[in-house]
Amino acid sequence: MEAVRFDELELDDRILRAVTDMGFEAASPIQAQAIPVQMEGRDIVGQAQTGTGKTAAFGIPLLQKIDPDCRKLQAIALCPTRELAIQVADEIRKLAKYMHGIKVLPIYGGQDIARQIRGLKDGTQIVIGTPGRVMDHMRRKTIRCDHIHTVIMDEADEMLNMGFLEDMETILSQLPEERQTVMFSATMPSEIQNIARRFQKNPVTVKVVKKELTVPKVTQYYYEVKPKTKVEVMCRLLDMYAPKLSIAFCNTKRQVDDLVQDLQGRGYFAEGLHGDLKQMQRDRVMSSFRNGTTEILVATDVAARGIDVDNVEAVFNYDIPQDDEYYVHRIGRTGRAGKDGIAFSLVVGREVYKLRDIQRYCKTKIIPQAIPSLDDITAIKAEKIMEQAMDLIRDTDLTKMVNLIERAVLTEECTSLDVAAALLKLSMGEENEDIIDSGRPARSLDDLDRYGRDGGGRGRRDGRGSRDGKGSRYGRDSRYDREGREDMARLFVNIGKNQNIRPGDVLGAVAGESGISGKLVGSIDMYDNYTFVDVPREYADAVLRAMKDVKIKGKNVHVEKANGKGR
Ligand code: AMP
């Protein structure tokens, strides 16, 4: 597991700066392999799935090839759904942060075509689109292919599943012969192999070759969480299991810093370890972890390499690792020297599939658990305090205290039991409102296939253009929490960060206009120009009606169901 640094990949300085801003510590395995090949100009068949960092794997070399002075369309990336198109466009824009003059435009069915045409005329060099809508524009000649030198097919197997095979073939056959064709797919069904044979020139296959791994004997649990409640869940697990030393792994340096800040803010002794720290700071953090002053070490995979601490009682996968091998390395940090170890993984939305693959590949068992409720934590805290109290009763002379309590009982209207209960409450501190729907265990990873991404509900596409994404249950990360929440409907709002809107504004508008309680509103995921908001399915239509002529911060908004009208 030799990590490749981004500065070893001979990237444009501006991209390196952007990658640093994004907090990436090292290239993910698929990036380390695919980036140099794509930069050479070769065609690629990349076998990688969501969560491996594949977007940046094709996005970085793509950006290096775009000529910002040429205001013509130079590249198209095809994606199966509009959510993915938006997400890919977002990631590529972040990577292009310091490359002035590059314009990336997501286009998908359901959005006003006139607006897309304006965007296309405005010097867009990269289009990220769903196949139906891209074909529409090609027919209207609002997408012109003569300057296109690169085409990317992202999640090709998903596009096949959604009935886009013909569209993909039509698009590919209309692009200039002289071009680079990059395809990423999690699986390689025969139709996809066929596309590679017909439309690619001598492609290089890129995939992460897996080694045989020995999985340490560590109890492994996982929890399905919402992005907003991740820190809270981690704290509950810390309170419940009270590990003396633990390591929490994050995928980016930025996440390490954020988590350390959150944990410290909640009174935990946490310190971060990542590549930006100087050797002296690293040494300080490590010695404070070794001597127990720091109880939680928050680290990236690269920074944690070479850490040798024997009595780590728990490992947290705060982010699910980008590679199976990382998982094994991470959990191997606990359960050393014959001691018991425990590993907790927090999965958000579709990351659960990544965890399923990790379980399969590692031939291990990752057990679904319910998030402990505040009542559970209260009971455990009380139990611990009672244990300490019993020790005191056994080992100490409490006569002075007994006298004080006796006096209170005689002078006040209370019993000694009341006093004991009040003191117990005082020593347990503030109780918070339970904001988590705890008690429901996560789904079993073995059962996922039955309900999973290919588990029905997705009809073949039978129309053109505007039906892009219909019936798609596709999604990733926080955006797809509803995968586990069949009771929630996802709404699309055509306004986002660039319009100076905050999630609270959307929440306020949804709750205020429809009259449903803000508590019922689920995830709000905000992009530059769009927002997705989850509402209980039973209220979805009422919310849509209520939001019809609404303004948010004085701006007219349009709200519609995010996943087509079919569901
Ligand atoms: P993807 O597989 O492209 O969907 O990426 C999954 C997530 O990993 C996205 O949030 C990316 O921003 C993030 N990511 C991509 N590359 C890296 C990297 N080298 N280090 C850390 N995070 C990354």
Side-chain angles (χ1 to χ4, degrees), residues 45-46 153 155-161 165 168-169 183-200:
V45 174
M153 282 167 283
E155 315 223 336
D157 51 351
E158 281 298 304
M159 291 200 272
L160 172 75
N161 285 343
L165 181 63
M168 279 161 44
E169 290 172 341
M183 178 159 79
F184 273 90
S185 198
T187 58
M188 286 292 156
S190 58
E191 292 93 331
I192 295 301
Q193 293 176 28
N194 230 343
I195 289 215
R197 260 194 304 277
R198 284 178 53 204
F199 295 101
Q200 291 191 301

Side-chain angles (χ1 to χ4, degrees), residues 246-516:
S246 46
I247 305 184
F249 285 94
C250 299
N251 287 352
T252 62
K253 294 184 269 195
R254 193 190 272 182
Q255 184 60 69
V256 167
D257 290 339
D258 288 351
L259 182 57
V260 168
Q261 208 175 10
D262 283 335
L263 290 173
Q264 286 178 347
R266 286 166 177 249
Y268 295 90
F269 296 103
E271 291 278 1
L273 198 68
H274 59 58
D276 284 354
L277 300 189
K278 302 218 167 62
Q279 191 58 40
M280 243 171 62
Q281 292 169 302
R282 273 182 75 97
D283 293 347
R284 187 188 57 74
V285 169
M286 280 316 296
S287 80
S288 123
F289 186 55
R290 283 211 172 81
N291 69 28
T293 316
T294 294
E295 294 170 341
I296 310 154
L297 184 71
V298 184
T300 54
D301 293 281
V302 178
R305 195 166 309 162
I307 292 181
D308 199 17
V309 181
D310 266 345
N311 41 353
V312 174
E313 291 177 10
V315 162
F316 289 85
N317 288 311
Y318 190 78
D319 291 327
I320 300 298
Q322 289 182 315
D323 187 72
D324 308 337
E325 220 179 295
Y326 289 178
Y327 180 84
V328 176
H329 281 267
R330 286 179 179 189
I331 68 169
R333 303 286 165 176
T334 179
R336 289 185 168 193
K339 299 212 180 84
D340 288 339
I342 189 162
F344 305 102
S345 296
L346 306 186
V347 306
V348 174
R350 292 186 59 86
E351 284 176 349
V352 73
Y353 295 104
K354 201 156 56 159
L355 201 67
R356 176 197 56 189
D357 290 350
I358 290 173
Q359 172 177 279
R360 267 196 204 147
Y361 160 65
C362 299
K363 298 195 191 65
T364 182
K365 189 81 202 149
I366 311 174
I367 304 157
Q369 286 283 84
I371 299 165
S373 68
L374 281 184
D375 282 346
D376 296 336
I377 308 288
T378 307
I380 281 174
K381 271 195 198 163
E383 205 173 299
K384 286 211 180 103
I385 294 171
M386 296 294 264
E387 264 172 32
Q388 288 169 349
M390 292 307 146
D391 287 349
L392 278 180
I393 292 170
R394 216 176 22 244
D395 305 335
T396 339
D397 177 8
L398 293 171
T399 317
K400 248 198 226 161
M401 308 297 151
V402 170
N403 289 341
L404 286 172
I405 302 229
E406 197 169 34
R407 201 183 312 152
V409 170
L410 289 174
T411 53
E412 306 290 335
E413 274 206 11
C414 64
T415 65
S416 47
L417 215 54
D418 292 335
V419 178
L423 292 175
L424 179 59
K425 188 167 166 50
L426 275 178
S427 51
M428 284 176 45
E430 287 287 312
E431 277 183 51
N432 299 318
E433 193 192 343
D434 202 341
I435 50 158
I436 293 179
D437 175 19
S438 29
R440 185 169 62 95
R443 292 166 291 173
S444 150
L445 293 176
D446 300 318
D447 285 347
L448 275 182
D449 289 327
R450 272 192 275 144
Y451 315 110
R453 58 198 283 174
D454 304 315
R458 178 187 292 146
R460 280 183 77 82
R461 190 173 145 275
D462 54 4
R464 291 268 179 228
S466 67
R467 302 196 56 169
D468 281 353
K470 172 183 188 295
S472 157
R473 298 182 59 211
Y474 192 80
R476 307 185 300 181
D477 304 341
S478 62
R479 270 74 75 190
Y480 306 103
D481 238 342
R482 77 198 155 88
E483 187 74 34
R485 295 288 310 269
E486 281 302 324
D487 52 334
M488 297 299 267
R490 169 147 286 217
L491 304 182
F492 172 84
V493 188
N494 67 342
I495 196 165
K497 288 183 211 155
N498 285 354
Q499 287 77 38
N500 288 328
I501 299 292
R502 287 168 305 120
D505 300 323
V506 176
L507 177 67
V510 169
E513 294 298 328
S514 67
I516 70 169

Side-chain angles (χ1 to χ4, degrees), residues 6 24 26-28 31 50-55 91 251-252 322 476:
F6 278 102
F24 297 177
S28 71
Q31 289 164 353
T50 295
T52 52
K54 67 182 167 54
T55 313
E91 178 108 343
N251 287 352
T252 62
Q322 289 182 315
R476 307 185 300 181

